Amino acid sequence: MYKEYLPCHILAPYVDRYWEFKGQTEQGMQIKLSTDGCTDFMFILESTVNHGIMMQPYHSYFIGPMNICSTLITSSGTINTFGVRFRPCGLSRFMKISLSELTNIRLSVND
C-alpha cells in the first residue's frame, strides 16, 4: 500500500524521497502525517481530506513544514496519492520565500 523511491544522486541533497500510497482502504481511515520539518508536494488521484481540507482528485497540494500533528483521512474506499518529500530546507533552493512562512500551511498548488 505504501512505497518509497529514492531520488537520483543529483536531487538527493534536496529531495528526501518520492512516495506512493495506493490501495483499498476503509472510508474514514486516518493516516498521521509526521512533524519532521520536511515539505511535500502531493498529487491526489482519489478524494481525501487533510486537516479539514478536501483534497480533490487530479489536483496537487503543497504541505509546508509541520510542527503540529496533522491527519489525512480517506473519504472513499481507495487511496491513490503520489508525493515528493523534500529534505528540511531542501525546497528553499527552489523558492524565493522563507520556508518558515509556510510552516503548517496546506495549499492547493493552484493557490
Side-chain angles (χ1 to χ4, degrees), residues 28-109:
M29 180 178 144
Q30 295 187 11
I31 304 158
K32 298 213 183 267
L33 302 176
S34 62
T35 56
D36 58 5
C38 295
T39 55
D40 287 88
F41 281 100
M42 297 175 65
F43 304 91
I44 309 298
L45 301 174
E46 299 283 340
S47 274
T48 56
V49 177
N50 181 343
H51 202 70
I53 299 170
M54 177 61 82
M55 301 177 91
Q56 299 295 324
Y58 308 110
H59 285 77
S60 305
Y61 296 87
F62 171 79
I63 310 297
M66 306 298 288
N67 63 16
I68 58 172
C69 285
S70 183
T71 304
L72 187 70
I73 303 170
T74 60
S75 59
S76 67
T78 59
I79 189 167
N80 193 350
T81 304
F82 177 78
V84 179
R85 170 157 285 206
F86 287 84
R87 294 186 179 279
C89 298
L91 190 59
S92 62
R93 172 83 169 147
F94 307 100
M95 297 180 68
K96 294 183 181 183
I97 65 171
S98 169
L99 289 178
S100 65
E101 294 180 41
L102 302 172
T103 300
N104 298 321
I105 300 290
R106 295 162 206 85
L107 296 170
S108 168
V109 171

Coordinates of all heavy atoms in Angstrom, one line a residue, residues 28-109:
G28 N -12.8 6.8 5.9 CA -12.6 7.4 7.2 C -11.3 6.9 7.8 O -10.9 7.3 8.9
M29 N -10.4 6.1 7.1 CA -9.2 5.7 7.6 C -8.3 6.9 7.9 O -8.2 7.8 7.0 CB -8.5 4.7 6.6 CG -7.1 4.3 7.1 SD -6.5 3.1 5.8 CE -4.8 3.5 5.9
Q30 N -7.6 7.0 9.0 CA -6.8 8.1 9.3 C -5.3 7.8 9.2 O -4.8 6.7 9.6 CB -7.0 8.6 10.8 CG -8.4 9.1 11.0 CD -8.6 9.7 12.3 OE1 -7.7 9.9 13.1 NE2 -9.9 10.0 12.7
I31 N -4.6 8.6 8.5 CA -3.1 8.5 8.3 C -2.4 9.7 8.9 O -2.7 10.8 8.5 CB -2.8 8.4 6.8 CG1 -3.6 7.2 6.1 CG2 -1.3 8.2 6.5 CD1 -3.8 7.4 4.6
K32 N -1.6 9.4 9.9 CA -0.9 10.5 10.6 C 0.2 11.0 9.7 O 1.0 10.3 9.2 CB -0.4 10.1 11.9 CG -1.6 9.7 12.8 CD -1.2 10.0 14.3 CE -2.4 9.5 15.2 NZ -3.3 10.4 15.4
L33 N 0.4 12.4 9.6 CA 1.5 13.0 8.9 C 2.5 13.4 9.9 O 2.2 14.0 10.9 CB 1.0 14.2 8.1 CG -0.1 13.9 7.0 CD1 -0.6 15.1 6.3 CD2 0.4 12.8 6.0
S34 N 3.8 13.1 9.6 CA 4.8 13.4 10.6 C 5.1 14.9 10.7 O 4.9 15.7 9.7 CB 6.1 12.6 10.2 OG 6.5 13.0 8.9
T35 N 5.7 15.3 11.8 CA 6.1 16.7 12.0 C 7.6 16.7 12.0 O 8.3 17.0 13.0 CB 5.6 17.1 13.4 OG1 6.1 16.2 14.4 CG2 4.1 17.2 13.5
D36 N 8.2 16.4 10.8 CA 9.7 16.3 10.7 C 10.3 17.4 10.0 O 11.5 17.4 9.7 CB 10.0 15.0 10.0 CG 9.3 14.9 8.6 OD1 8.7 15.9 8.2 OD2 9.4 13.8 8.0
G37 N 9.6 18.5 9.7 CA 10.3 19.7 9.1 C 10.4 19.6 7.6 O 10.9 20.5 7.0
C38 N 9.9 18.5 7.0 CA 10.0 18.3 5.6 C 8.8 18.9 4.9 O 7.8 19.2 5.6 CB 10.1 16.8 5.2 SG 11.6 16.0 5.8
T39 N 8.9 19.2 3.6 CA 7.8 19.7 2.9 C 7.5 18.7 1.8 O 8.3 17.9 1.4 CB 8.2 21.1 2.2 OG1 9.3 20.9 1.4 CG2 8.4 22.2 3.2
D40 N 6.2 18.7 1.4 CA 5.8 17.7 0.4 C 4.9 18.4 -0.7 O 4.2 19.3 -0.4 CB 4.9 16.6 1.1 CG 5.6 15.7 1.9 OD1 5.9 15.9 3.1 OD2 6.0 14.6 1.4
F41 N 5.0 17.9 -1.9 CA 4.0 18.1 -2.9 C 3.3 16.8 -3.1 O 3.9 15.7 -3.2 CB 4.7 18.5 -4.2 CG 5.1 19.9 -4.2 CD1 6.4 20.3 -4.0 CD2 4.2 20.9 -4.5 CE1 6.8 21.6 -4.0 CE2 4.5 22.3 -4.5 CZ 5.8 22.6 -4.3
M42 N 1.9 16.9 -3.0 CA 1.1 15.7 -3.1 C 0.3 15.8 -4.3 O -0.3 16.8 -4.6 CB 0.2 15.6 -1.9 CG 0.9 15.4 -0.6 SD -0.2 15.4 0.9 CE -1.2 13.9 0.6
F43 N 0.2 14.7 -5.0 CA -0.7 14.6 -6.2 C -1.8 13.6 -5.9 O -1.5 12.4 -5.7 CB 0.2 14.1 -7.4 CG 1.4 15.1 -7.6 CD1 2.6 14.8 -7.0 CD2 1.2 16.2 -8.4 CE1 3.7 15.7 -7.2 CE2 2.3 17.1 -8.6 CZ 3.5 16.8 -8.0
I44 N -3.0 14.0 -5.9 CA -4.1 13.2 -5.4 C -4.8 12.6 -6.6 O -5.2 13.4 -7.5 CB -5.1 14.1 -4.6 CG1 -4.4 14.9 -3.5 CG2 -6.3 13.3 -4.1 CD1 -3.7 14.0 -2.5
L45 N -5.0 11.3 -6.6 CA -5.8 10.7 -7.7 C -7.1 10.1 -7.2 O -7.9 9.6 -7.9 CB -4.9 9.5 -8.3 CG -3.6 10.1 -8.9 CD1 -2.7 8.9 -9.4 CD2 -3.8 11.0 -10.0
E46 N -7.3 10.2 -5.8 CA -8.6 9.8 -5.2 C -8.9 10.9 -4.1 O -8.0 11.4 -3.6 CB -8.6 8.4 -4.6 CG -8.3 7.3 -5.5 CD -9.5 6.9 -6.3 OE1 -10.6 7.2 -5.9 OE2 -9.3 6.2 -7.3
S47 N -10.2 11.1 -3.8 CA -10.5 12.1 -2.8 C -10.0 11.7 -1.4 O -10.1 10.6 -1.0 CB -12.0 12.2 -2.6 OG -12.5 13.1 -3.6
T48 N -9.4 12.7 -0.7 CA -9.0 12.5 0.7 C -9.2 13.9 1.4 O -9.5 14.9 0.7 CB -7.5 12.1 0.8 OG1 -6.7 13.1 0.2 CG2 -7.3 10.7 0.3
V49 N -9.2 13.8 2.7 CA -9.3 15.1 3.5 C -8.1 15.2 4.3 O -7.6 14.3 5.0 CB -10.6 15.0 4.4 CG1 -10.7 16.2 5.3 CG2 -11.8 14.8 3.6
N50 N -7.5 16.4 4.3 CA -6.3 16.7 5.1 C -6.6 17.9 6.0 O -6.7 19.0 5.6 CB -5.1 17.0 4.2 CG -3.9 17.3 5.0 OD1 -3.9 17.6 6.2 ND2 -2.8 17.3 4.3
H51 N -6.8 17.6 7.3 CA -7.0 18.6 8.3 C -8.1 19.5 8.0 O -8.0 20.7 8.0 CB -5.7 19.4 8.5 CG -5.6 20.0 9.9 ND1 -5.4 19.3 11.0 CD2 -5.6 21.3 10.2 CE1 -5.4 20.2 12.0 NE2 -5.5 21.4 11.5
G52 N -9.2 18.9 7.5 CA -10.4 19.7 7.2 C -10.5 20.2 5.8 O -11.4 20.7 5.3
I53 N -9.4 20.0 5.0 CA -9.3 20.5 3.6 C -9.6 19.3 2.7 O -8.9 18.3 2.8 CB -7.9 21.1 3.3 CG1 -7.6 22.3 4.1 CG2 -7.9 21.4 1.8 CD1 -6.2 22.7 4.0
M54 N -10.7 19.4 1.9 CA -11.0 18.3 1.0 C -10.0 18.4 -0.2 O -9.8 19.4 -0.8 CB -12.4 18.5 0.4 CG -12.7 17.4 -0.6 SD -12.7 15.7 0.0 CE -14.3 15.6 0.7
M55 N -9.2 17.3 -0.3 CA -8.2 17.2 -1.4 C -8.8 16.5 -2.5 O -9.1 15.3 -2.5 CB -7.0 16.6 -0.8 CG -6.4 17.3 0.4 SD -5.0 16.5 1.1 CE -3.7 17.3 0.1
Q56 N -9.1 17.2 -3.6 CA -9.8 16.7 -4.8 C -8.9 15.8 -5.7 O -7.7 16.1 -5.8 CB -10.3 17.9 -5.6 CG -11.3 18.8 -4.8 CD -12.6 18.0 -4.5 OE1 -13.0 17.2 -5.2 NE2 -13.1 18.3 -3.3
P57 N -9.6 14.8 -6.3 CA -8.8 14.0 -7.3 C -8.3 14.9 -8.4 O -8.9 15.9 -8.8 CB -9.8 13.0 -7.8 CG -11.0 13.1 -6.9 CD -10.9 14.4 -6.2
Y58 N -7.1 14.5 -8.9 CA -6.4 15.1 -10.0 C -6.0 16.6 -9.7 O -6.0 17.4 -10.6 CB -7.3 15.0 -11.3 CG -7.7 13.6 -11.5 CD1 -9.0 13.2 -11.4 CD2 -6.7 12.6 -11.9 CE1 -9.3 11.8 -11.6 CE2 -7.1 11.3 -12.0 CZ -8.4 10.9 -11.9 OH -8.7 9.6 -12.1
H59 N -5.7 16.8 -8.5 CA -5.2 18.1 -8.1 C -3.9 17.9 -7.3 O -3.6 16.8 -6.8 CB -6.2 18.9 -7.1 CG -7.3 19.4 -7.9 ND1 -8.4 18.7 -8.3 CD2 -7.6 20.7 -8.3 CE1 -9.3 19.4 -8.9 NE2 -8.8 20.7 -8.9
S60 N -3.1 18.9 -7.2 CA -1.8 18.9 -6.5 C -1.9 19.8 -5.3 O -2.6 20.8 -5.3 CB -0.7 19.3 -7.4 OG -0.7 18.6 -8.6
Y61 N -1.2 19.4 -4.2 CA -1.2 20.2 -3.0 C 0.2 20.4 -2.4 O 1.1 19.5 -2.6 CB -2.1 19.5 -1.9 CG -3.5 19.5 -2.4 CD1 -4.0 18.5 -3.1 CD2 -4.4 20.6 -2.1 CE1 -5.3 18.5 -3.6 CE2 -5.7 20.6 -2.5 CZ -6.1 19.5 -3.3 OH -7.4 19.5 -3.7
F62 N 0.5 21.5 -1.8 CA 1.7 21.7 -1.1 C 1.5 21.6 0.4 O 0.5 22.2 0.9 CB 2.2 23.1 -1.4 CG 3.4 23.5 -0.6 CD1 4.7 23.1 -0.9 CD2 3.2 24.4 0.5 CE1 5.7 23.4 -0.1 CE2 4.3 24.7 1.3 CZ 5.5 24.3 1.0
I63 N 2.3 20.8 1.1 CA 2.2 20.7 2.5 C 3.5 21.3 3.1 O 4.6 20.7 2.8 CB 2.1 19.2 3.0 CG1 1.0 18.5 2.2 CG2 1.9 19.1 4.5 CD1 -0.4 19.0 2.4
G64 N 3.4 22.4 3.8 CA 4.6 23.0 4.4 C 5.2 22.2 5.5 O 4.6 21.3 6.0
P65 N 6.3 22.7 6.0 CA 6.9 22.0 7.2 C 6.0 22.1 8.4 O 5.4 23.1 8.6 CB 8.2 22.8 7.4 CG 8.2 24.0 6.6 CD 7.1 23.9 5.6
M66 N 5.7 21.0 9.0 CA 4.7 20.9 10.0 C 5.4 20.8 11.4 O 6.4 20.1 11.6 CB 3.9 19.6 9.9 CG 3.2 19.5 8.5 SD 2.1 20.8 8.1 CE 0.8 20.4 9.2
N67 N 4.9 21.5 12.4 CA 5.3 21.4 13.7 C 4.1 21.1 14.6 O 4.2 21.1 15.9 CB 6.1 22.6 14.3 CG 5.3 23.9 14.3 OD1 4.0 23.9 14.2 ND2 5.9 25.0 14.4
I68 N 2.9 20.8 14.0 CA 1.8 20.3 14.7 C 1.3 19.0 14.0 O 1.5 18.9 12.8 CB 0.6 21.3 14.8 CG1 0.2 21.8 13.4 CG2 1.0 22.5 15.7 CD1 -1.0 22.6 13.4
C69 N 0.7 18.1 14.7 CA 0.2 16.9 14.1 C -0.9 17.2 13.1 O -1.7 18.1 13.3 CB -0.3 15.9 15.2 SG 1.0 15.2 16.1
S70 N -0.9 16.4 12.0 CA -2.0 16.5 11.0 C -2.3 15.1 10.6 O -1.6 14.2 10.7 CB -1.4 17.3 9.8 OG -2.4 17.5 8.9
T71 N -3.6 15.0 10.1 CA -4.1 13.7 9.7 C -4.7 13.8 8.4 O -5.4 14.7 8.0 CB -5.1 13.2 10.8 OG1 -4.6 13.2 12.1 CG2 -5.6 11.8 10.4
L72 N -4.4 12.8 7.6 CA -5.0 12.6 6.3 C -6.1 11.6 6.5 O -5.9 10.5 7.0 CB -4.0 12.1 5.3 CG -4.3 12.0 3.8 CD1 -4.5 13.4 3.2 CD2 -3.3 11.2 3.1
I73 N -7.3 11.9 6.0 CA -8.5 11.0 6.2 C -9.0 10.6 4.9 O -9.4 11.5 4.1 CB -9.6 11.7 7.1 CG1 -9.0 12.1 8.4 CG2 -10.8 10.7 7.3 CD1 -9.9 13.0 9.2
T74 N -9.1 9.3 4.6 CA -9.7 8.9 3.4 C -11.2 9.1 3.3 O -11.9 9.0 4.3 CB -9.4 7.4 3.1 OG1 -10.0 6.6 4.2 CG2 -7.9 7.1 3.1
S75 N -11.7 9.5 2.2 CA -13.1 9.8 2.1 C -13.7 8.9 1.0 O -14.9 9.1 0.6 CB -13.3 11.3 1.7 OG -12.7 11.6 0.5
S76 N -13.0 7.9 0.6 CA -13.5 6.8 -0.3 C -12.9 5.5 0.1 O -12.1 5.4 1.0 CB -13.3 7.2 -1.7 OG -11.9 7.1 -2.0
G77 N -13.3 4.5 -0.6 CA -12.8 3.1 -0.3 C -11.4 2.8 -0.9 O -10.8 1.8 -0.7
T78 N -10.8 3.8 -1.6 CA -9.5 3.7 -2.2 C -8.7 4.9 -1.9 O -9.2 6.0 -1.7 CB -9.5 3.4 -3.7 OG1 -10.2 4.5 -4.3 CG2 -10.3 2.1 -4.0
I79 N -7.4 4.8 -1.9 CA -6.5 5.9 -1.8 C -5.5 5.7 -3.0 O -5.0 4.6 -3.2 CB -5.8 6.0 -0.5 CG1 -5.1 7.4 -0.4 CG2 -4.9 4.9 -0.1 CD1 -4.6 7.7 1.1
N80 N -5.2 6.8 -3.6 CA -4.2 6.8 -4.6 C -3.5 8.2 -4.6 O -4.0 9.2 -5.2 CB -4.8 6.5 -6.0 CG -3.8 6.2 -7.1 OD1 -2.6 6.4 -6.9 ND2 -4.2 5.7 -8.2
T81 N -2.4 8.3 -4.0 CA -1.7 9.5 -3.8 C -0.2 9.3 -4.0 O 0.4 8.3 -3.6 CB -1.8 10.0 -2.3 OG1 -3.2 10.1 -2.0 CG2 -1.2 11.4 -2.1
F82 N 0.4 10.3 -4.7 CA 1.9 10.3 -5.0 C 2.4 11.5 -4.5 O 1.8 12.6 -4.5 CB 2.1 10.2 -6.5 CG 3.5 10.2 -6.9 CD1 4.3 9.1 -6.8 CD2 4.1 11.4 -7.4 CE1 5.7 9.1 -7.1 CE2 5.5 11.4 -7.7 CZ 6.3 10.2 -7.6
G83 N 3.6 11.5 -3.9 CA 4.2 12.7 -3.3 C 5.7 12.8 -3.5 O 6.4 11.8 -3.8
V84 N 6.2 14.0 -3.4 CA 7.6 14.3 -3.4 C 7.9 14.9 -2.1 O 7.3 16.0 -1.7 CB 8.0 15.3 -4.6 CG1 9.5 15.6 -4.5 CG2 7.6 14.7 -5.9
R85 N 8.8 14.3 -1.3 CA 9.1 14.8 0.0 C 10.5 15.5 -0.1 O 11.5 14.8 -0.5 CB 9.2 13.7 1.1 CG 9.8 14.2 2.4 CD 9.3 13.4 3.5 NE 8.0 13.8 3.7 CZ 7.4 13.7 4.9 NH1 8.0 13.2 5.9 NH2 6.2 14.1 5.1
F86 N 10.6 16.8 0.2 CA 11.9 17.5 0.2 C 12.5 17.4 1.6 O 11.8 17.3 2.6 CB 11.6 18.9 -0.1 CG 11.3 19.1 -1.6 CD1 10.0 19.0 -2.0 CD2 12.3 19.4 -2.5 CE1 9.7 19.2 -3.4 CE2 12.0 19.6 -3.8 CZ 10.7 19.5 -4.3
R87 N 13.8 17.4 1.7 CA 14.5 17.4 2.9 C 14.2 18.7 3.7 O 13.8 19.7 3.0 CB 16.0 17.3 2.7 CG 16.4 16.0 2.1 CD 17.9 15.8 2.0 NE 18.3 14.5 1.5 CZ 18.3 13.4 2.2 NH1 18.0 13.4 3.4 NH2 18.6 12.3 1.6
P88 N 14.4 18.8 5.0 CA 14.3 20.1 5.7 C 15.1 21.1 5.0 O 16.3 20.9 4.7 CB 14.7 19.8 7.1 CG 14.5 18.3 7.3 CD 14.7 17.7 5.9
C89 N 14.6 22.2 4.6 CA 15.2 23.3 3.9 C 15.6 22.9 2.4 O 16.2 23.8 1.7 CB 16.4 23.8 4.6 SG 16.0 24.5 6.2
G90 N 15.3 21.7 2.0 CA 15.7 21.3 0.6 C 14.9 22.1 -0.4 O 15.4 22.4 -1.5
L91 N 13.7 22.5 -0.2 CA 12.9 23.2 -1.1 C 13.3 24.7 -1.2 O 13.1 25.3 -2.2 CB 11.4 23.1 -0.7 CG 10.4 23.7 -1.8 CD1 10.5 22.9 -3.1 CD2 9.0 23.5 -1.2
S92 N 14.0 25.2 -0.2 CA 14.4 26.6 -0.2 C 15.4 26.9 -1.4 O 15.5 28.0 -1.8 CB 15.1 27.0 1.1 OG 16.2 26.2 1.3
R93 N 16.0 25.9 -1.9 CA 16.9 26.0 -3.1 C 16.1 26.5 -4.3 O 16.6 27.1 -5.2 CB 17.6 24.7 -3.3 CG 18.4 24.6 -4.6 CD 19.7 25.2 -4.4 NE 20.6 24.9 -5.5 CZ 21.5 25.7 -6.0 NH1 21.7 26.9 -5.4 NH2 22.2 25.4 -7.0
F94 N 14.8 26.1 -4.3 CA 14.0 26.4 -5.5 C 12.9 27.5 -5.3 O 12.2 27.8 -6.2 CB 13.3 25.1 -5.9 CG 14.2 23.9 -6.1 CD1 14.4 23.0 -5.1 CD2 14.9 23.8 -7.2 CE1 15.2 21.9 -5.3 CE2 15.8 22.7 -7.4 CZ 16.0 21.8 -6.4
M95 N 12.9 28.0 -4.1 CA 11.9 29.1 -3.8 C 12.6 30.3 -3.3 O 13.6 30.3 -2.7 CB 10.9 28.6 -2.7 CG 10.1 27.4 -3.2 SD 9.0 26.8 -1.9 CE 7.8 28.1 -1.8
K96 N 11.9 31.5 -3.5 CA 12.5 32.7 -3.1 C 11.9 33.2 -1.7 O 12.5 34.1 -1.1 CB 12.2 33.8 -4.1 CG 12.9 33.5 -5.4 CD 12.7 34.6 -6.4 CE 13.5 34.3 -7.7 NZ 13.4 35.3 -8.7
I97 N 10.9 32.5 -1.2 CA 10.4 32.9 0.2 C 10.9 31.9 1.2 O 11.3 30.8 0.9 CB 8.8 33.0 0.2 CG1 8.2 31.6 0.0 CG2 8.3 34.0 -0.8 CD1 6.7 31.5 0.2
S98 N 10.9 32.4 2.4 CA 11.4 31.6 3.5 C 10.4 30.5 3.8 O 9.2 30.7 3.9 CB 11.6 32.5 4.8 OG 11.8 31.7 5.9
L99 N 10.9 29.3 4.1 CA 10.1 28.2 4.4 C 9.4 28.4 5.7 O 8.3 27.8 6.0 CB 10.8 26.8 4.4 CG 11.3 26.4 3.0 CD1 12.1 25.1 3.2 CD2 10.1 26.1 2.1
S100 N 9.9 29.2 6.6 CA 9.3 29.5 7.9 C 7.9 30.1 7.7 O 7.0 30.0 8.5 CB 10.2 30.3 8.8 OG 10.4 31.6 8.2
E101 N 7.7 30.9 6.6 CA 6.5 31.5 6.3 C 5.4 30.4 5.9 O 4.2 30.7 5.8 CB 6.6 32.5 5.1 CG 7.4 33.7 5.5 CD 7.6 34.7 4.4 OE1 6.6 34.9 3.7 OE2 8.7 35.2 4.2
L102 N 5.9 29.2 5.5 CA 5.0 28.2 5.1 C 4.7 27.1 6.1 O 4.1 26.1 5.8 CB 5.5 27.5 3.8 CG 5.8 28.5 2.7 CD1 6.5 27.8 1.5 CD2 4.5 29.1 2.2
T103 N 5.2 27.3 7.4 CA 5.0 26.3 8.4 C 3.5 26.1 8.7 O 2.7 27.0 8.8 CB 5.7 26.8 9.7 OG1 7.1 27.0 9.4 CG2 5.5 25.8 10.9
N104 N 3.1 24.8 8.7 CA 1.8 24.4 9.0 C 0.8 24.8 7.9 O -0.4 24.8 8.1 CB 1.3 24.8 10.4 CG 2.1 24.2 11.4 OD1 2.5 23.1 11.4 ND2 2.4 25.0 12.5
I105 N 1.3 25.1 6.7 CA 0.4 25.6 5.6 C 0.1 24.4 4.7 O 1.0 23.6 4.4 CB 1.1 26.7 4.8 CG1 1.4 27.9 5.7 CG2 0.3 27.0 3.5 CD1 0.1 28.7 6.1
R106 N -1.1 24.3 4.3 CA -1.6 23.3 3.3 C -2.3 24.1 2.2 O -3.3 24.7 2.5 CB -2.5 22.3 3.9 CG -1.8 21.4 5.0 CD -2.9 20.8 5.8 NE -2.4 20.5 7.1 CZ -2.4 21.3 8.2 NH1 -2.8 22.5 8.0 NH2 -1.8 20.9 9.3
L107 N -1.8 24.0 1.0 CA -2.3 24.8 -0.1 C -2.5 23.9 -1.3 O -1.7 23.1 -1.6 CB -1.3 25.9 -0.5 CG -1.0 27.0 0.5 CD1 0.1 27.8 0.0 CD2 -2.2 27.9 0.7
S108 N -3.6 24.3 -2.1 CA -3.7 23.8 -3.4 C -2.6 24.4 -4.2 O -2.3 25.6 -4.1 CB -5.0 24.1 -4.0 OG -5.1 23.9 -5.4
V109 N -1.9 23.7 -5.1 CA -0.9 24.3 -5.9 C -1.4 25.4 -6.8 O -0.7 26.4 -7.1 CB -0.2 23.2 -6.8 CG1 0.8 23.7 -7.8 CG2 0.5 22.2 -5.9

